[in-house]
Amino acid sequence: MVVLAVHGGAGGDGPWRGLTQADPARLDCMQRLLHDLGQRLADGDIDALEAVTLAVEAMEDEPLFNAGVGSVLDANGEVTMDASIMRGNDRSAGAVVNVQHASHPIRVANRVLHQGWPVMLVGEAADAFGEREGVTLHPNDRFITELRRAQWQKWKASTLRPGATDEDDEAVLDHDLEDTPGMGTVGAVALDRSGQLAAATSTGGMTGKPDGRVGDTPIIGAGTWCDDRVAVSCTGVGEAFIRTCAARTLAFHHERLGLDKAGQRVLDDVAPLGGRGGLIAVDAEGHVVLPFQTMLMYRGVYQNGDINVGVGPDWEP
Amino acid sequence: MVVLAVHGGAGGDGPWRGLTQADPARLDCMQRLLHDLGQRLADGDIDALEAVTLAVEAMEDEPLFNAGVGSVLDANGEVTMDASIMRGNDRSAGAVVNVQHASHPIRVANRVLHQGWPVMLVGEAADAFGEREGVTLHPNDRFITELRRAQWQKWKASTLRPGATDEDDEAVLDHDLEDTPGMGTVGAVALDRSGQLAAATSTGGMTGKPDGRVGDTPIIGAGTWCDDRVAVSCTGVGEAFIRTCAARTLAFHHERLGLDKAGQRVLDDVAPLGGRGGLIAVDAEGHVVLPFQTMLMYRGVYQNGDINVGVGPDWEP
């Protein structure tokens, strides 16, 4: 039994309104990576750690997810990316914060994990470490897409004109421009043939994020957790996930409640703190959950050769 | 019942060799702050959150602890400081990373908590936020003491000459120059008259820490945790505390095992990952534990008017 599950972020409010123009490309990206990496995982060609790294890299390369190329823009109109990764059997971990040049932030986090110490690197030092480890660096504007610039301009306009309504911004307002905090963060969890688990998460943060702000994605225990029983990747309003230590907490609940109730319990715990989002988790027996409390969560699972992907509330693995 | 407990870092290897020349000043600092703040906590003059903030500020001001003035120097010979704080009743939290100018990093973290969002700020943005919130900024060299410079020179010499032995560095070698990772990190936990809990931790990191490295101190769930049942502050080899989510894990064990066993269990969990250190914790019933697995931990407790401080293994609260 091998499992690979991915998410491409949770978000949206109100009733589910069906796929947007951009959704087929997002679903196609997940479908393709699950097909390719699921097979390699089943063949024993890659282990859980490499599977989650490659899965997240594929989503960092898809401009419609909020990670790597296509990350949202911060308050300065730049891309600043965070990522973390953890392996279950030895609880080794790697995390990078405010990366601005590494083509694949999750690969830098993976190299931090392999190096063993330190666990967490911030800013230019993280990019520089990535370069020494063979990760390609790009100028920051290589990560910026037209869609993200339009979202940023909409954010900027509403910041400059307090009280501005959505109607004022009609020129750039369409469904794909909506940008719930945490929307589009990507993550992966995997169980490989030898029973090992791994989890990985990567994000560009949120449009207009203030200088220096760190969300839950690079925080081991908040956005990402993995031990020898369960692997977890979260997405959503990051601050509530930090304040509940969401990913680590799932592992505790899992022991007593099983995976289904544990996933729900973590989201219930986040909600009173203003948190809204979702998570994916797989345990050592190959059970998978992908709960979310938002309108939608981009998600997909490879399990025993079967691949399922979905966006709205209409699908359960 | 009100409680205030503090630590000034865990460290040292081998058998306990008694107080060093610098220890009376450290003990005196803890004794004085416990006397002053314990009384104010008992009088209801300050709440748990303000008590832990003021306690950590007092230790940041003591040049012999590794936080604020007297922080150890990083690889560049500069001071870079981390701090985090959390309140139990609403699980509000604040954390700052790589602060270089704020006179009291824990006060900046406290202001981050009060602002509510974001929870975590990195680098210049954290200093700038502190200044806007009324925290005094200093030039970086105001934080540097002769002792820390000597420790850094010893580290630098051993880095430049791989294979150098302690004897080569005899000129600067004395007991007070020994600098176990995490040594001198400061923290406080408190229970106030209204039954509220809070926890705070602050550090200069470790001598020669590489650019961009973040340890456990500013990570909610790793170095600091507080909910409505227990408040925790950790000290030690930070990476293992991140990889075990040490402070958050204590709260889980506390539910099932009680505070004594929970504290020991967390340290037992850290050890196989190369972690060595200690922690302090207080629960909503006013029980306190201050376990450590190193040679010593600077620690003190105010409880019902009684004050006890200690360094070596010879004392239990």
Side-chain angles (χ1 to χ4, degrees), chain B residues 5-16:
Chain B
V6 295
H7 69 77
D13 286 309
W16 166 240

Side-chain angles (χ1 to χ4, degrees), chain B residues 21 28 53 60 71 80 91 123 138 159 178 205 234-235 265 305:
Chain B
Q21 257 192 317
D28 187 51
T53 307
E60 288 174 338
S71 286
T80 46
R91 282 180 293 178
H138 293 312
T159 313
E178 288 182 20
C234 298
T235 173
R265 181 78 171 268

Side-chain angles (χ1 to χ4, degrees), chain B residues 289-311:
Chain B
V289 293
L290 307 92
F292 57 100
Q293 62 206 154
T294 41
M295 182 180 75
L296 61 85
M297 182 168 78
Y298 299 94
R299 60 205 191 278
V301 181
Y302 172 99
Q303 204 166 15
N304 298 328
D306 287 336
I307 295 173
N308 281 291
V309 297
V311 185

Side-chain angles (χ1 to χ4, degrees), chain A residues 44-63:
Chain A
D45 177 33
I46 50 175
D47 65 8
L49 186 73
E50 190 59 16
V52 297
T53 307
L54 290 171
V56 169
E57 284 192 348
M59 297 172 89
E60 287 174 340
D61 285 339
E62 167 53 62

Side-chain angles (χ1 to χ4, degrees), chain B residues 41-307:
Chain B
L41 202 55
D43 291 346
D45 176 33
I46 51 176
D47 65 8
L49 187 73
E50 190 60 16
V52 296
T53 307
L54 290 170
V56 169
E57 283 193 348
M59 298 172 88
E60 288 174 338
D61 284 340
E62 167 53 61
L64 289 165
F65 290 120
N66 174 18
V69 174
S71 286
V72 300
L73 309 193
D74 65 17
N76 302 319
E78 295 178 5
V79 161
T80 46
M81 302 171 284
D82 301 333
S84 66
I85 189 165
M86 191 165 191
R87 179 164 63 188
N89 65 318
D90 59 358
R91 282 180 293 178
S92 54
V96 293
V97 176
N98 284 352
V99 163
Q100 292 209 287
H101 302 288
S103 57
H104 295 105
I106 198 63
R107 180 60 67 182
V108 185
N110 175 300
R111 300 314 303 167
V112 170
L113 179 153
H114 280 293
Q115 180 179 255
W117 186 93
V119 165
M120 197 168 187
L121 281 179
V122 173
E124 289 169 25
D127 277 314
F129 171 79
E131 186 174 33
R132 287 197 302 277
E133 292 285 321
V135 178
T136 308
L137 300 194
H138 293 312
N140 194 256
D141 58 16
R142 267 282 285 282
F143 296 93
I144 300 178
T145 63
E146 283 314 302
L147 173 67
R148 298 313 186 187
R149 202 179 292 281
Q151 287 175 336
W152 182 78
Q153 278 158 348
K154 183 183 165 194
W155 167 83
K156 192 81 183 164
S158 67
T159 313
L160 294 174
R161 291 176 289 124
T165 69
D166 278 353
E167 280 147 89
D168 296 329
D169 299 311
E170 211 168 345
V172 288
L173 186 72
D174 79 48
H175 193 160
D176 282 332
L177 280 176
E178 288 182 20
D179 184 33
T180 322
M183 182 82 148
T185 292
V186 307
V189 294
L191 171 68
D192 67 22
R193 287 206 326 193
S194 68
Q196 298 216 2
L197 294 161
T201 314
S202 180
T203 192
M206 52 187 298
T207 301
K209 76 176 165 187
D211 259 4
R213 179 250 184 191
V214 184
D216 66 314
T217 297
I219 307 295
I220 297 298
T224 303
W225 178 258
C226 191
D227 56 29
D228 53 7
R229 292 174 305 237
V230 67
V232 192
S233 171
C234 298
T235 173
V237 182
E239 277 67 15
F241 286 78
I242 295 177
R243 289 165 54 196
T244 55
C245 228
R248 176 69 178 112
T249 298
L250 187 144
F252 279 104
H253 291 324
H254 172 247
E255 267 183 69
R256 282 183 277 186
L257 306 173
L259 198 57
D260 262 317
K261 283 186 185 160
Q264 203 49 59
R265 181 78 171 268
V266 165
L267 296 184
D268 291 348
D269 207 25
V270 163
L273 304 187
R276 284 171 61 76
L279 60 87
I280 58 174
V282 59
D283 69 15
E285 284 74 47
H287 302 125
V288 183
V289 293
L290 307 92
F292 57 100
Q293 62 206 154
T294 41
M295 182 180 75
L296 61 85
M297 182 168 78
Y298 299 94
R299 60 205 191 278
V301 181
Y302 172 99
Q303 204 166 15
N304 298 328
D306 287 336
I307 295 173

